[in-house]
């Protein structure tokens, strides 16, 4: 199983069910707010560092008795997006009388640069192929 779910609850449910079914699984940790393609690594969840999603997953896996989980994660510290309350100047349809629109989201949502999830996906694909070749 390849896990590319964005929510912790979904990831944990998938990992737990994979363990019950004795099915190999590999999870992708956070690629949001990352720019360094060379910082992605493959490791057991308990050997990860820096990645905020991996930190939460380590804690939750330990709580649930999950002893091993192969993951792709980034050792790059996430960049900080612009605050969500930045004002944006927008002109009306006539091109005059600009007004301000405030962004109302209370939490910053991690953004992904186009290649970061692709790098993680390619690394997972390579690991799956290696694992399949070793089991033959």
């Amino acid at each position: 199983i390849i896990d590319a779910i964005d929510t912790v609850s979904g990831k944990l449910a998938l990992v737990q069910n994979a363990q019950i079914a004795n099915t190999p699984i590999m999870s992708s940790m956070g690629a949001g707010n990352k720019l360094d393609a060379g910082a992605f690594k493959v490791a057991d969840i308990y050997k990860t560092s820096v990645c905020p999603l991996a930190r939460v997953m380590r804690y939750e896996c330990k709580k649930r008795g999950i002893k091993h989980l192969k993951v792709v994660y980034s050792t790059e510290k996430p960049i900080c997006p612009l605050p969500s309350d930045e004002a944006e100047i927008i002109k009306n349809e006539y091109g005059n009388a600009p007004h301000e629109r405030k962004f109302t989201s209370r939490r910053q949502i991690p953004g992904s640069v186009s290649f970061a999830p692709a790098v993680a996906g390619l690394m997972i694909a390579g690991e799956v192929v290696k694992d399949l070749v070793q089991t033959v």
Side-chain angles (χ1 to χ4, degrees), residues 98-131:
H99 62 279
E100 259 187 31
R101 181 180 77 191
K102 295 276 186 182
F103 296 104
T104 58
S105 174
R106 289 180 25 219
R107 293 181 54 169
Q108 293 175 345
I109 299 170
S112 294
V113 67
S114 61
F115 57 81
V119 168
L122 288 170
M123 290 184 73
I124 289 175
E127 284 296 310
V128 168
V129 170
K130 284 194 274 184
D131 289 349

Side-chain angles (χ1 to χ4, degrees), residues 35-94:
L35 296 175
D36 184 0
F40 285 91
K41 310 283 182 222
V42 176
D44 187 82
I45 189 68
Y46 295 106
K47 294 185 179 180
T48 60
S49 61
V50 182
C51 177
L53 178 56
R55 181 180 57 239
V56 172
M57 285 296 291
R58 276 194 312 270
Y59 175 79
E60 293 297 333
C61 284
K62 187 175 183 180
K63 241 172 54 172
R64 288 164 173 75
I66 297 166
K67 301 208 183 303
H68 300 285
L69 176 61
K70 194 175 195 179
V71 300
V72 167
Y73 74 104
S74 176
T75 57
E76 177 186 10
K77 194 173 183 178
I79 61 171
C80 186
L82 293 173
S84 60
D85 63 348
E86 289 288 320
E88 178 183 327
I89 303 295
I90 302 173
K91 292 185 178 181
N92 66 16
E93 67 259 22
Y94 303 108

Side-chain angles (χ1 to χ4, degrees), residues 10-24:
K11 285 181 167 310
L12 290 167
L14 192 59
V15 170
Q16 286 179 305
N17 284 310
Q19 278 197 337
I20 291 167
N22 202 24
T23 302

